[in-house]
Amino acid sequence: MVRQSFVYGSEVIDYTVLFTERPPGRILIHVHPNEAVQVDAPTGRCLKEVHEAVLKRARWISRHVSDARRLREHVLPRAYVSGEGIFYLGRRYQLKVEYQPKASAEAKMLRGQLRVTTPSKDAAAVKELVDKWYRARAVEVFERRLNEVACRMRWLKKVPAWRLLKMQKQWGSCSPAGNILLNPHLVKAPRECIDYVLVHELCHLKEHNHGTKFYKLLEQTYPDWRPVKARLDGMAELLLNE
Ligand SMILES: [Zn+2]
């Protein structure tokens, strides 16, 4: 990971370069919701080349950084009204609230919108339905991904039991006894970020601390975890927001 910066207009913009095996051959620039600029560069490229690629997109980067700043200033608290953003598997959908006095309460994803039908005009009631929807999606997605990533870990005999727990600052945890907790907010993140957290927690079944052995194990199972973790860190504030 290398920190660099460039000047655009009257602004100094910092960026972090992460060398990665993936994607093949291309330099990718991400501006995260926390305004951090991440540049994924194929291993083997030199910094000068990366810097030139960044300068070519200086205008685009600057615009996205100021957009992110503006958004952060307006973040929160959520009102649970139509038009608000709903994140799911790394994509942004729109919340649509339909008040129907006689209908039963329901939330479902339909044509890019999370439609909540509610007999109550109360925002708390809408929030409850949205939370319930997220929890159901989280159970389904995490179970599927756990099975998938567990196959890459030969030392793991079976997929361990786990449960959901809302946490304010953590995506997951694994106790010394091997109890895995996963934050339902994680289902808002892209699939590769979910996989990273799952692999991270599963590695704790063998290595409880963040020591050298732990990172070796993580690296074996998810060789390219660094840019993925950086991406997730960049979104944390946004995704953990209730
Ligand atoms: Zn850990």
Side-chain angles (χ1 to χ4, degrees), residues 100-217:
Q100 286 180 23
K102 286 185 185 137
S104 51
E106 182 183 48
K108 65 178 173 192
M109 188 62 93
L110 211 66
R111 286 182 229 110
Q113 285 185 326
L114 181 67
R115 295 198 186 174
V116 171
T117 310
T118 170
S120 157
K121 276 185 173 167
D122 190 9
V126 177
K127 180 182 187 307
E128 207 182 302
L129 286 166
V130 171
D131 280 359
K132 207 173 132 194
W133 181 83
Y134 269 131
R135 294 181 81 89
R137 294 286 78 71
V139 166
E140 195 185 294
V141 172
F142 298 167
E143 190 60 40
R144 192 169 65 229
R145 297 314 304 162
L146 271 169
N147 277 294
E148 177 79 25
V149 299
C151 291
R152 298 183 217 159
M153 307 167 102
R154 297 225 176 97
W155 52 271
L156 196 67
K157 298 278 179 286
K158 63 177 173 68
V159 178
W162 59 279
R163 62 185 184 85
L164 289 178
L165 183 72
K166 257 193 190 172
M167 293 172 266
Q168 253 149 37
K169 297 220 158 82
Q170 271 176 287
W171 296 114
S173 79
C174 179
S175 76
N179 294 313
I180 292 182
L181 298 175
L182 297 170
N183 196 333
H185 288 306
L186 180 62
V187 81
K188 298 174 187 174
R191 203 188 68 184
E192 57 176 8
C193 299
I194 297 175
D195 285 2
Y196 158 71
V197 173
L198 300 181
V199 170
H200 182 118
E201 299 313 333
L202 291 176
C203 285
H204 278 314
L205 292 172
K206 204 170 178 186
E207 297 297 335
H208 298 301
N209 307 310
H210 292 131
T212 323
K213 282 183 179 168
F214 171 82
Y215 284 105
K216 221 173 150 183
L217 191 61

Side-chain angles (χ1 to χ4, degrees), residues 23-129:
R26 278 208 300 150
I27 293 172
L28 289 182
I29 304 172
H30 317 271
V31 177
H32 296 306
N34 67 353
E35 299 163 47
V37 181
Q38 179 186 342
V39 181
D40 296 348
T43 321
R45 292 293 184 96
C46 68
L47 279 176
K48 192 168 162 271
E49 215 180 333
V50 173
H51 195 69
E52 276 163 12
V54 168
L55 289 182
K56 266 189 200 153
R57 304 199 62 197
R59 195 183 136 105
W60 179 91
I61 296 169
S62 163
R63 182 162 49 86
H64 279 79
V65 169
S66 42
D67 284 354
R69 189 173 309 140
R70 213 170 319 119
L71 264 176
R72 280 178 88 189
E73 281 158 8
H74 293 114
V75 168
L76 356 146
R78 308 191 58 122
Y80 291 92
V81 291
S82 289
E84 272 189 331
I86 287 288
F87 291 90
Y88 176 55
L89 295 177
R91 302 178 82 164
R92 190 180 192 276
Y93 297 92
Q94 222 174 48
L95 178 65
K96 176 118 172 70
V97 181
E98 277 166 1
Y99 168 64
Q100 286 180 23
K102 286 185 185 137
S104 51
E106 182 183 48
K108 65 178 173 192
M109 188 62 93
L110 211 66
R111 286 182 229 110
Q113 285 185 326
L114 181 67
R115 295 198 186 174
V116 171
T117 310
T118 170
S120 157
K121 276 185 173 167
D122 190 9
V126 177
K127 180 182 187 307
E128 207 182 302
L129 286 166

